[in-house]
Amino acid sequence: MLNAYRDHVAERTALGLPPLPLNAEQTAELVDLLKTPPVGQEALLIDLLENRIPAGVDQAAYVKAAFLADIANSNSHSPLVSPERAVHLLGTMLGGYNVPALVALLDTELADQAAQALSSTILMFDAFHDVEEKAKAGNAAAKKLLQSWADAEWFTSRPALPAEIKCVVFKVPG
């Protein structure tokens, strides 16, 4: 898998193009490699996991979210990804397959990390109601998460926009 990926990167680079993101099959192979990493390939494997799998609802994202959820729930193990790191990475996936995993983690010892990861996720859709139910049932992490959303921390924690932005605009008639 790694050799095929390197060939792909070289081919795309020769064309002046960035490499394509990993597909579901490549992501599944990456997951296997992350469980028993080849010596000397650790940095590449982590880079692929963190940066080369599309976020959201792509099938590769499904594979990634399932793997990270298994790591976070101690159903799987990787010497390169701790449960805490798995929760953090789930939080970078923007919404989609990661959301149910993070919501479920609100009931575990990783609840605070899951709440932190979800605090910057606004594409919750119906999962919001699951968080609300957990908060009403007394889940402290879910309450903290709802307060974070109410305070718009997902927005206010971003860097301020500059007072002035200079740019060039091209108007194309028609």
Side-chain angles (χ1 to χ4, degrees):
M1 180 265 177
L2 292 178
N3 289 335
Y5 183 75
R6 285 186 184 101
D7 291 344
H8 167 75
V9 170
E11 180 181 305
R12 299 278 293 182
T13 300
L15 296 171
L17 299 170
L20 294 172
L22 299 181
N23 61 32
E25 181 182 311
Q26 291 168 315
T27 303
E29 292 176 23
L30 174 63
V31 164
D32 288 340
L33 291 172
L34 285 162
K35 291 177 183 177
T36 54
V39 176
Q41 301 302 311
E42 297 87 354
L44 174 61
L45 296 175
I46 291 297
D47 181 59
L48 292 173
L49 177 67
E50 292 179 356
N51 301 308
R52 300 304 313 152
I53 301 170
V57 293
D58 183 271
Q59 285 304 304
Y62 176 81
V63 174
K64 177 180 178 178
F67 168 67
L68 293 173
D70 281 347
I71 295 286
N73 288 304
S74 299
N75 296 330
S76 189
H77 172 75
S78 169
L80 303 179
V81 183
S82 69
E84 295 79 13
R85 185 69 181 157
V87 173
H88 170 76
L89 292 174
L90 281 165
T92 65
M93 294 181 67
L94 306 177
Y97 296 117
N98 65 324
V99 172
L102 287 168
V103 171
L105 287 166
L106 292 172
D107 294 320
T108 70
E109 65 277 354
L110 295 172
D112 288 337
Q113 291 94 329
Q116 179 64 37
L118 283 167
S119 69
S120 61
T121 302
I122 57 173
L123 300 174
M124 293 293 294
F125 303 103
D126 288 338
F128 168 83
H129 301 292
D130 299 333
V131 174
E132 182 183 37
E133 286 178 25
K134 289 179 185 297
K136 286 180 181 177
N139 183 307
K143 287 179 181 179
K144 182 179 172 184
L145 175 57
L146 287 177
Q147 189 60 53
S148 173
W149 286 334
D151 294 339
E153 290 176 359
W154 60 271
F155 180 76
T156 59
S157 65
R158 295 178 184 266
L161 288 173
E164 181 179 339
I165 299 173
K166 294 183 180 188
C167 61
V168 177
V169 177
F170 293 98
K171 180 179 178 188
V172 179

